[in-house]
Amino acid sequence: MGLIWSLIVGGVIGLIAGAITKKGGSMGIVANVVAGLVGSWVGQSLLGSFGPSLAGMALIPSIIGAVIVVALVSFLMGRK
């Protein structure tokens, strides 16, 4: 059950990051989950674990990290 909860929270974090960067319409469900999970790792690695937490992910650093991941991936994909 913990894995499912992490995937759901990762998807919501990726969805929020997509909405902030205005790239959410072009991202699918899998991309939202991946962006949320990778963004959570990046954000917590760079900023630490502060603020509210769900499924082991500190929400504020996770959202900031996911915004960084989405912006970086959209920048690199737009270069083709």
Side-chain angles (χ1 to χ4, degrees):
M1 188 66 178
L3 176 64
I4 294 171
W5 185 239
S6 295
L7 292 175
I8 291 169
V9 172
V12 171
I13 290 171
L15 183 69
I16 292 169
I20 290 172
T21 60
K22 308 268 192 278
K23 304 291 183 199
S26 63
M27 292 173 44
I29 294 171
V30 174
N32 280 333
V33 171
V34 170
L37 293 175
V38 173
S40 176
W41 177 78
V42 168
Q44 289 184 42
S45 295
L46 295 176
L47 303 172
S49 296
F50 63 90
S53 178
L54 280 173
M57 296 179 230
L59 294 180
I60 296 169
S62 296
I63 292 170
I64 293 170
V67 167
I68 292 169
V69 168
V70 170
L72 184 64
V73 168
S74 67
F75 175 75
L76 293 175
M77 293 303 210
R79 290 293 221 177
K80 284 185 172 183

